[in-house]
Amino acid sequence: MNAWKFIGFVLVTYLGAAYGTAKSGVGICSMGVMHPAIIPVVMAGVIGIYGFIIAVVVGTKIKEPVGGGSQPVTPQYTLFSAFGHLGSGLTGGLSGLAAGMAIGIVGDAGVRATAQQPKLFVGMILILIFAEALGLYGLIVALIMSSSGGGACPSA
């Protein structure tokens, strides 16, 4: 299977995961001496795994056309399925981007605040869990979108 098929589906998700990791890492580096917490970085990395799952599910459903030579070429991958997979990739990617940005901003501010006031740790974790849920919801919707259909487009 061509590696370029995976890049389109996971690129936006990895951008969110990378932003969340980098932004949280800045907070950890600046305040980690007093109170290290790597939870935001781990949660941002999980967002990238969501994108990889979507890419594998969609990539395994793409079929090569059959026939050729003296026989007519018939596609097995319909336009309906292609648009469903495009929508699932965009859904997972954009929700991963949003979740990664939320985790990065909350992780950066939360680690700095937790270093100064340890009572804020539970609140930071709760907000990070809700931000992670955004990516999880995108994964669920993307899996539903990629599994539906499979038939031909209705003719007019």
Side-chain angles (χ1 to χ4, degrees), residues 39-121:
I39 294 172
V41 174
V42 172
M43 292 181 82
V46 171
I47 299 294
I49 295 170
Y50 294 163
F52 182 71
I53 291 170
I54 296 167
V56 168
V57 168
V58 170
T60 57
K61 293 184 179 185
I62 297 175
K63 305 274 192 276
E64 294 290 329
V66 295
S70 62
Q71 297 179 2
V73 176
T74 56
Q76 292 182 314
Y77 189 60
T78 64
L79 191 60
F80 185 76
S81 296
F83 278 116
H85 293 158
L86 175 66
S88 68
L90 287 174
T91 300
L94 292 176
S95 68
L97 179 64
M101 292 182 74
I103 288 171
I105 293 168
V106 170
D108 180 29
V111 167
R112 292 174 194 242
T114 302
Q116 295 175 357
Q117 181 60 260
K119 290 191 285 186
L120 296 174
F121 182 75

